Amino acid sequence: MTVKIIGAGLAGSEAAWQLVKRNIPVKIFEMRPTVSTKAHHTGLCAELVCSNSLKNSKLDNAAGLMKEEMRLLGSLILEAAAFAEVPAGGALAVDRLVFAEYIDQKIKSHPLITFVEKELQEIPESSLENPVIIATGPLTSKAMTNSIAKLIDSPNLAFFDAIAPIFFRESLDLNLLFKMSRYGKGGDDYYNIPLEKDHYNSFIDQIIQAEKYSGNQLVESDSPEELRPFEGCMPIEDIILRGRETLRHGPLKPKGLIDPRTDRPPYAAVQLRQDDLQGNTWSMVGMQTRMKRHEQERIIRQLPGMENAEFVRYGSFHRNTFIDSPNCLNATLELRKKPGLFFAGQINGTEGYIESAIGGILAGINAARRIQNLEPVILPIETAGGSIFNYISDPTRKDFQPMNITYGVMPSYHQLLAEFPKMNKHDKRMRCSNQALDTLKTFISANNI
């Protein structure tokens, strides 16, 4: 029995890997590179289109916990990330090309995987004996989006997502920047562009006045629509609308940074993170933008050390689509009205690389269990994965928005807050994380996963 997977992104690749580990053949349909998107540049499996960071790696962070859970579940994505890792302080960041090439080779060379470069415009027939996994991601094609909308009898929710620019290191004046991670965590892995108050205010003024792309210009639709930006990847222009100082308390916060030339923190600081293994390209951290290209060039080149900055990639803005998961999905990631049909990845409203990938892992496990005539499993709610899937499948949830993993969605963390009000935050988080990993190990053993 062959499982069909639509989409070879992070979720689709993880799902395929879980299935072939269980000796179940897979047929993957991927429309790229024949049909591309506004954000992708290659036809490689699991291409990262936004940041090159898979977020925090520490166990006192919910993203770090989720990655440990993924390792226990046999994640291909984290195997590739270890191979392609670049310095990023306490975060896990990768060389995008090396990362995608590693996964691409693993997927396309596996004897149990048939890889088809083709855009599917209709959802294949599925059943308990013939599972299908839809892992088309937030950049799902218009035809497939329409097919999904008809199936779930619900309009698609959508939001705007943005990416930050990347630059060639050799084009930067490093004499005007300084290397440091905030609070010294992880070594001197970031370049910092220090801004004093006047320069910061000038930077904000220019962004406000710059020509920008609007939602109406970017929607691939017959009728224009105004869509909200996603909170976790908001363009700097939209952050500034909340107040001139908002950026300085967000991605440009100077806390934990000391400019060695002044022996004090700057008023604000733009950070650059290594984007490839060789350190030839560097991306702006948290500087997603929808400014037009000529405005990016003009404004960014006025920052210290960026006067001759050469863009590897401009910041951009694109439409993302996700289904109303609380109304149609179980925590197994199976469609309530059609058992045997699974949704995995960001199309579910699990926003973020690792959140997308762990959805692929669970969908792959449960598709295999359907073929093996076993009941699909739900990850324990004490875990990060179980908590995020409980969040997106809760039918009482209204006004659903994409969600990253945080301790805020973990009921076990809220219980610790109530039981130990005087325990410090680090200890609470470590206790929550260790309990989650112990619970997951027991779950894996009990269910022979």
Side-chain angles (χ1 to χ4, degrees):
M1 206 67 66
T2 299
V3 176
K4 294 183 178 69
I5 299 176
I6 312 172
L10 297 173
S13 297
E14 287 279 32
W17 202 245
Q18 291 295 322
L19 285 155
V20 297
K21 280 167 49 177
R22 292 162 173 80
N23 294 314
I24 296 173
V26 170
K27 191 171 188 178
I28 300 180
F29 296 88
E30 171 56 55
M31 68 179 186
R32 294 180 295 113
T34 305
V35 179
S36 192
T37 73
K38 289 182 178 291
H40 289 91
H41 296 281
T42 76
L44 296 173
C45 297
E47 179 187 344
L48 302 182
V49 299
C50 188
S51 167
N52 72 320
S53 173
L54 277 69
K55 297 189 288 192
N56 200 298
S57 288
K58 306 299 183 183
L59 202 53
D60 64 347
N61 182 282
L65 167 60
M66 180 168 276
K67 284 193 278 292
E68 287 302 315
E69 294 177 5
M70 291 168 62
R71 289 188 181 98
L72 290 175
L73 292 166
S75 168
L76 172 62
I77 298 305
L78 290 182
E79 180 185 318
F83 181 79
E85 186 173 4
V86 299
L92 173 60
V94 300
D95 180 309
R96 299 164 197 267
L97 184 59
V98 174
F99 173 82
E101 286 177 339
Y102 183 96
I103 297 168
D104 197 75
Q105 190 276 331
K106 288 279 188 179
I107 294 294
K108 292 178 180 176
S109 67
H110 198 285
L112 288 178
I113 296 177
T114 302
F115 196 90
V116 182
E117 289 183 2
K118 178 183 179 181
E119 178 193 2
L120 289 190
Q121 299 190 349
E122 297 287 340
I123 300 169
E125 283 299 317
S126 63
S127 66
L128 297 181
E129 299 78 20
N130 293 281
V132 169
I133 299 173
I134 298 175
T136 47
L139 298 173
T140 300
S141 70
K142 184 177 179 181
M144 181 55 69
T145 295
N146 291 338
S147 181
I148 293 169
K150 291 176 185 175
L151 173 69
I152 64 177
D153 192 27
S154 173
N156 283 285
L157 302 177
F159 64 99
F160 281 143
D161 205 356
I163 59 179
I166 301 174
F167 308 91
F168 284 109
R169 179 182 180 274
E170 63 185 16
S171 70
L172 312 180
D173 185 351
L174 302 181
N175 293 319
L176 299 180
L177 315 183
F178 66 94
K179 290 199 82 176
M180 183 179 293
S181 294
R182 287 192 178 95
Y183 305 104
K185 293 183 178 180
D188 296 342
D189 293 340
Y190 294 81
Y191 280 116
N192 296 275
I193 304 172
L195 300 178
E196 294 309 320
K197 186 173 183 179
D198 288 348
H199 205 155
Y200 173 81
N201 283 322
S202 173
F203 184 55
I204 298 301
D205 286 339
Q206 291 186 72
I207 293 172
I208 291 171
Q209 296 163 11
E211 287 187 87
K212 307 170 186 72
Y213 289 106
S214 69
N216 288 350
Q217 292 170 295
L218 296 178
V219 174
E220 296 177 359
S221 172
D222 295 330
S223 59
E225 53 184 312
E226 286 293 343
L227 302 177
R228 60 193 181 279
F230 168 55
E231 289 284 338
C233 206
M234 183 171 286
I236 53 175
E237 299 82 10
D238 296 273
I239 295 176
I240 291 171
L241 292 176
R242 299 178 176 183
R244 295 181 62 87
E245 294 290 293
T246 311
L247 268 186
R248 200 171 73 86
H249 294 279
L252 271 62
K253 63 179 179 287
K255 290 184 178 180
L257 295 172
I258 301 295
D259 187 339
R261 286 158 295 197
T262 62
D263 290 326
R264 61 177 175 79
Y267 187 76
V270 180
Q271 288 199 310
L272 298 169
R273 179 177 55 229
Q274 185 173 331
D275 203 72
D276 67 339
L277 285 173
Q278 294 76 29
N280 294 327
T281 59
W282 290 71
S283 60
M284 278 187 158
V285 179
M287 294 289 283
Q288 300 82 218
T289 181
R290 55 188 179 90
M291 288 188 289
K292 294 188 175 182
R293 287 187 174 189
H294 70 278
E295 296 284 44
Q296 292 182 47
E297 292 176 351
R298 179 179 66 83
I299 294 171
I300 289 173
R301 285 177 180 155
Q302 294 183 42
L303 296 174
M306 304 296 288
E307 292 83 358
N308 299 304
E310 184 178 349
F311 287 72
V312 176
R313 181 189 75 185
Y314 289 88
S316 66
F317 201 46
H318 49 270
R319 183 187 194 274
N320 282 357
T321 300
F322 61 96
I323 63 173
D324 189 2
S325 295
N327 282 330
C328 58
L329 282 191
N330 289 321
T332 61
L333 303 187
E334 201 168 25
L335 199 64
R336 291 194 188 110
K337 65 185 284 187
K338 195 171 180 58
L341 180 60
F342 296 86
F343 282 79
Q346 290 191 38
I347 195 169
N348 290 349
T350 48
E351 174 63 21
Y353 292 150
I354 58 172
E355 293 86 346
S356 175
I358 198 171
I361 291 174
L362 181 60
I365 290 170
N366 280 335
R369 290 178 71 85
R370 281 299 191 191
I371 286 177
Q372 295 162 346
N373 201 28
L374 298 171
E375 283 298 310
V377 295
I378 296 173
L379 293 180
I381 199 168
E382 295 85 359
T383 65
S387 293
I388 197 75
F389 298 138
N390 174 71
Y391 179 92
I392 68 165
S393 63
D394 178 0
T396 66
R397 191 166 304 286
K398 306 300 179 187
D399 299 320
F400 180 53
Q401 271 259 358
M403 176 58 69
N404 291 111
I405 184 59
T406 70
Y407 285 110
V409 301
M410 296 185 66
S412 54
Y413 186 70
H414 290 281
Q415 185 175 346
L416 285 172
L417 290 176
E419 290 181 3
F420 304 99
K422 295 184 179 180
M423 185 183 292
N424 68 58
K425 183 169 69 174
H426 173 268
D427 289 348
K428 283 191 183 94
R429 291 181 170 186
M430 287 300 298
R431 185 161 182 164
C432 180
S433 292
N434 285 323
Q435 287 177 353
L437 294 176
D438 288 343
T439 300
L440 183 59
K441 289 172 186 175
T442 301
F443 173 83
I444 288 171
S445 176
N447 290 279
N448 194 29
I449 291 174

